[in-house]
Amino acid sequence: MGNNKKRPVYLNLFKIRLPVGGILSILHRATGAFLVLLLPIALYILQRSLQDPAAYAKIATQAATIIGRIVVLVTVWVFAQHFFSGVRHLLLDIGIGDSKPAARRNAWLAFAASLAVVALTGVCL
């Protein structure tokens, strides 16, 4: 092979500036992985809450604390972010909003929609 002088010698991943669509795509993968890892815990909590009324009351009491509310809000954000990112990716796959300005706008809309869902959930808690 020839010697390619244009290859980077040192690649600092913290100095690379990704566009908002790239950040959204990485977050989509990260939230998907987090949801998969969260599934056994969620199933355990569901199983415990269905055992008897006392177990349900204990779980509801724990969810009403500050830490419980933060966990609920983070979980809602992960679900909402993954959902809206996924909808955006599906729309891009069928050719809707695939121009550069529209894709950038849709990425920001996905972020805004997930934060709006979290804010609405926080108000309702």
Side-chain angles (χ1 to χ4, degrees), residues 1 7 10 12 14 18 22 26 43 45 53 55 62-64 79 85 88 90 101 106-107 109 119 123:
M1 280 213 255
R7 291 181 55 192
Y10 174 69
N12 188 350
F14 294 108
L18 282 176
I26 291 170
L43 288 175
I45 292 171
Q62 289 174 346
F79 271 109
S85 300
R88 178 183 176 268
L90 288 174
N106 293 340
L109 283 173
V123 169

Side-chain angles (χ1 to χ4, degrees), residues 19-65:
V20 67
I23 294 169
L24 188 77
S25 180
I26 291 170
L27 266 178
H28 182 68
R29 291 173 186 244
T31 55
F34 185 73
L35 288 173
V36 167
L37 295 174
L38 189 69
L39 191 60
I41 298 167
L43 288 175
Y44 174 74
I45 292 171
L46 177 65
Q47 184 266 334
R48 290 281 300 144
S49 69
L50 294 175
Q51 275 185 343
D52 57 4
Y56 176 80
K58 182 178 178 184
I59 291 171
T61 303
Q62 289 174 346
T65 64

